[in-house]
Amino acid sequence: MKRSCGVFCVINFWMKKACILCCLALISAGMLAGCNGKGKEKEKEKDSADSIVCYVGHGFWDSSLDPVKGGFAYGYDFIYNALVRVNAQSEYEGDLAESWEISEDALTYTYKLKQGIHFQDGSGLTAEDVVFTYETVMANQGQNEKVDLSQVAQVEALDEYTVQFTLKEHFSPFLDSTAQLGIVPSDGYDSDSYDRTPVGTGPFRVVQYDMDQQLIVEANEDYFEGAPQIQRVTFVDMDNEAAFSNARSGQLDVVMVQPSYVAETIEGMHAERLETMDVRNISLPCREPEMLTGADGEEIAVGNPVTSDLSVRKALSIGVNRQEVIDNAFNGVGRPAKGWTDNLIWGNTKEYEDSKTEEARQILEESGWIDTDGDGIREKDGIPCAFEIYTPSDEPDRYLLAAAVAEDVQKLGISIEVKQTTWDEIAVKSYTQGVVWGFGQYSPMVIDNQFRSEHFITQTYGNPSGYQNETADRLIEEAIAANSQAEAVAAWKEVQNVYAGDYPYLYLVNIEHCYFVSDRLDISADTQIPHPHGHGIPIICNLKDWKIKE
């Protein structure tokens, strides 16, 4: 054995009150200071001077901290490092790898590791650790839904610091996969203990993890890019109202908030509105109503008699006033969106004017949607121009967005009823009704997920609009099979040209992630990456760069 195991002590929604009270008691009693008498006042001041307490959203909490099981699989964790990472310009750069090469046939990826990197147990990083991590995930792929390695045929160590991956077939987004998987030590890894007491190479090490309550980490003084200035970070989990209240009382240094809170003021804190690639949109079922047979032989109702009409989808897209919707739903926080964001190299949004009320009305009139009874709602063949939009019950921002859209499009003679429910029900309702979605990631595979026809009713949340287009399917396959990034990007962009004219989604807003941050804290805005979908965690993408001001 080349090393021994050194173990350190180390997404839930809406915490129960007991957990919240427990969390707050811990904060006030010990997290910030660890003292209980006058004799320890100096220790308290010292401890709190280089420590912070943060609420960064419910999405932060996973059942396991183990990357082999999908923990911190977004490419910006702080306990582990991946082979590559995304920088502030949305480009890939080396993380544990100093360089990489892709063969001409695009079936072989070779990574050269940086030397002198150590795990938090003191053992040195080698190619053996990378091979072990990837082979363990491949052997237990069912435990990791976030990093799909099904395209990998073999991973091997060519020498102590060189790793080579051989793919079964062309898969141009493989580089994205290597930015998502944190590396664990081959000799020190333990599947059970790493759920709570993991060991990585990252800038912070775990000292305590109480699931659904708190995670405490301390600076890794031996981190290969230099020890973080902040010595101790405590992440707490609570509901949004409790988090905002405790920020007001001075117990939090960072608090995630919904856009509706940005107009508020908190003494000693300032608001941060951070750039994202996170786009909110509404899926519009494109198929005529019909029954399809599911994988288990069950009959599934799909399609919608209103949104299956292209004229309705186009009228919504050009007729809605996105800025007014954003103002009403999010207090003006966010940018109008008609497709993917411009901070993605493969993004290719079709720009057009919105708020074209008269043109939208004309499109509907010419397609036979006419208000014959004067009730303000158009009809066609006896069918009202009305449908439902579903949002998850525990995400009020999506409900507010849908409600603002429903109010805005009344001027077009379109009636929308907004409903809240569970994600399980949404998965089924999406076959026949609109749903508010949040999408945005570095990998262009999100296009495959949303637009490839074969995913409809076969993959949960896959292609929720039921979009069907042979040209789009072919281009998606070409993009995935491309043997160069340039070819892949060109194909991904062309897919967007194809589906843009079909309006299968009503794109609305490129949201900004909102936080209140202590005035004593510098979150290094220059090294913040554009945040992918998942409100909360992304702000800590550059936690190693944060500083407490003098």
Side-chain angles (χ1 to χ4, degrees):
M1 301 287 285
K2 68 184 175 113
R3 58 175 71 90
S4 60
C5 175
V7 179
F8 295 95
C9 297
V10 248
I11 305 176
N12 261 3
F13 295 99
W14 310 105
M15 285 286 293
K16 292 181 179 179
K17 184 178 289 187
C19 284
I20 296 172
L21 294 174
C22 176
C23 233
L24 298 179
L26 285 170
I27 294 173
S28 60
M31 287 186 209
L32 296 176
C35 60
N36 55 14
K38 293 182 179 180
K40 294 188 177 181
E41 284 301 316
K42 290 185 179 180
E43 180 182 346
K44 175 179 179 179
E45 292 176 5
K46 178 178 181 299
D47 286 348
S48 62
D50 56 10
S51 301
I52 59 174
V53 181
C54 308
Y55 166 72
V56 292
H58 300 294
F60 175 80
W61 304 94
D62 270 316
S63 58
S64 172
L65 301 180
D66 185 355
V68 169
K69 300 172 185 173
F72 297 109
Y74 295 95
Y76 42 69
D77 68 75
F78 49 91
I79 300 169
Y80 307 96
N81 295 92
L83 290 173
V84 298
R85 65 189 177 196
V86 176
N87 64 23
Q89 290 72 48
S90 298
E91 302 166 335
Y92 283 117
E93 64 182 17
D95 196 357
L96 294 179
E98 65 179 16
S99 63
W100 62 90
E101 293 181 355
I102 304 174
S103 63
E104 287 189 13
D105 64 4
L107 291 174
T108 303
Y109 286 67
T110 305
Y111 293 78
K112 193 73 176 179
L113 301 181
K114 297 173 183 176
Q115 298 186 31
I117 296 177
H118 291 83
F119 287 97
Q120 294 155 2
D121 62 3
S123 57
L125 170 76
T126 69
E128 178 185 335
D129 303 300
V130 179
V131 172
F132 171 80
T133 301
Y134 276 80
E135 287 186 338
T136 304
V137 173
M138 291 162 64
N140 302 276
Q141 186 68 74
Q143 293 183 331
N144 191 332
E145 297 179 351
K146 298 178 181 178
V147 184
D148 182 5
L149 299 180
S150 59
Q151 304 86 5
V152 179
Q154 183 182 27
V155 54
E156 57 185 327
L158 300 186
D159 59 41
E160 192 172 10
Y161 296 103
T162 307
V163 181
Q164 186 175 91
F165 297 88
T166 303
L167 304 186
K168 299 174 184 176
E169 57 187 6
H170 292 125
F171 185 68
S172 61
F174 180 67
L175 186 65
D176 302 289
S177 300
T178 62
Q180 292 180 295
L181 183 55
I183 304 303
V184 298
S186 57
D187 286 350
Y189 176 74
D190 179 83
S191 179
D192 293 328
S193 66
Y194 270 50
D195 288 337
R196 293 176 176 272
T197 58
V199 173
T201 54
F204 289 89
R205 63 182 183 88
V206 175
V207 295
Q208 185 174 340
Y209 177 38
D210 302 313
M211 193 182 303
D212 303 339
Q213 295 182 40
Q214 64 173 342
L215 171 65
I216 305 174
V217 298
E218 290 183 348
N220 175 10
E221 298 298 332
D222 297 321
Y223 181 55
F224 64 93
E225 290 188 327
Q229 187 219 59
I230 295 176
Q231 293 298 297
R232 186 179 179 94
V233 183
T234 299
F235 298 100
V236 296
D237 193 19
M238 57 185 67
D239 67 38
N240 295 326
E241 293 288 345
F244 188 76
S245 174
N246 283 278
R248 277 194 180 282
S249 64
Q251 297 186 78
L252 295 175
D253 295 284
V254 175
V255 58
M256 180 205 81
V257 295
Q258 300 296 329
S260 56
Y261 283 90
V262 172
E264 301 288 334
T265 58
I266 299 180
E267 184 177 357
M269 304 188 84
H270 61 278
E272 293 276 4
R273 292 165 52 169
L274 301 177
E275 178 187 4
T276 80
M277 56 186 65
D278 195 348
V279 176
R280 292 288 182 268
N281 52 78
I282 297 172
S283 56
L284 302 173
C286 297
R287 303 184 184 219
E288 294 278 358
E290 60 178 322
M291 299 298 294
L292 296 181
T293 303
D296 297 328
E298 74 278 22
E299 291 294 301
I300 301 174
V302 305
N304 184 287
V306 176
T307 60
S308 59
D309 190 329
L310 175 58
S311 65
V312 173
R313 302 197 302 271
K314 182 175 181 179
L316 285 166
S317 292
I318 70 170
V320 70
N321 186 327
R322 288 171 174 79
Q323 188 58 60
E324 190 169 303
V325 167
I326 294 168
D327 291 342
N328 290 336
F330 294 160
N331 287 335
V333 177
R335 296 184 298 150
K338 302 179 183 74
W340 300 112
T341 60
D342 57 10
N343 51 23
L344 292 163
I345 63 172
W346 48 264
N348 185 27
T349 298
K350 176 184 177 181
E351 293 295 339
Y352 52 85
E353 290 184 27
D354 67 6
S355 305
K356 298 167 74 173
T357 304
E358 290 307 316
E359 183 176 337
R361 287 172 177 165
Q362 184 177 353
I363 289 173
L364 292 169
E365 292 276 347
E366 292 175 351
S367 297
W369 293 99
I370 301 170
D371 181 9
T372 58
D373 56 11
D375 66 352
I377 302 173
R378 298 175 183 273
E379 308 94 31
K380 181 179 180 180
D381 299 329
I383 298 173
C385 195
F387 62 98
E388 299 168 349
I389 294 178
Y390 284 82
T391 72
S393 301
D394 51 12
E395 296 193 41
D397 60 321
R398 299 197 194 203
Y399 178 85
L400 292 172
L401 185 65
V405 169
E407 180 179 356
D408 187 75
V409 302
Q410 287 179 9
K411 65 192 179 189
L412 304 180
I414 298 175
S415 175
I416 295 175
E417 183 179 2
V418 182
K419 295 186 175 183
Q420 293 179 294
T421 187
T422 65
W423 276 112
D424 286 341
E425 185 175 2
I426 284 174
V428 176
K429 289 294 186 181
S430 67
Y431 301 150
T432 59
Q433 303 292 339
V435 172
V436 178
W437 301 96
F439 292 111
Q441 61 187 58
Y442 300 102
S443 171
M445 287 300 288
V446 66
I447 293 179
D448 172 87
N449 173 268
Q450 289 186 64
F451 296 99
R452 190 188 285 235
S453 58
E454 68 184 49
H455 294 326
F456 185 56
I457 77 167
T458 65
Q459 177 178 303
T460 304
Y461 310 136
N463 188 13
S465 66
Y467 184 63
Q468 288 177 293
N469 187 300
E470 291 182 2
T471 303
D473 285 343
R474 174 178 56 79
L475 287 166
I476 290 171
E477 291 176 1
E478 289 179 4
I480 292 173
N483 57 8
S484 75
Q485 186 182 45
E487 290 181 14
V489 167
W492 289 122
K493 287 189 172 185
E494 187 57 30
V495 176
Q496 294 163 79
N497 285 334
V498 170
Y499 69 65
D502 294 328
Y503 302 96
Y505 292 85
L506 175 59
Y507 291 98
L508 293 167
V509 56
N510 175 199
I511 68 171
E512 295 172 303
H513 287 172
C514 303
Y515 305 83
F516 277 98
V517 178
S518 170
D519 291 338
R520 75 184 184 114
L521 185 62
D522 176 6
I523 63 168
S524 186
D526 290 344
T527 61
Q528 282 278 332
I529 64 174
H531 295 179
H533 175 62
H535 198 160
I537 300 176
I539 194 175
I540 59 174
C541 63
N542 65 343
L543 187 62
K544 64 183 177 62
D545 300 327
W546 290 14
K547 294 179 175 60
I548 295 176
K549 301 173 184 177
E550 297 295 334

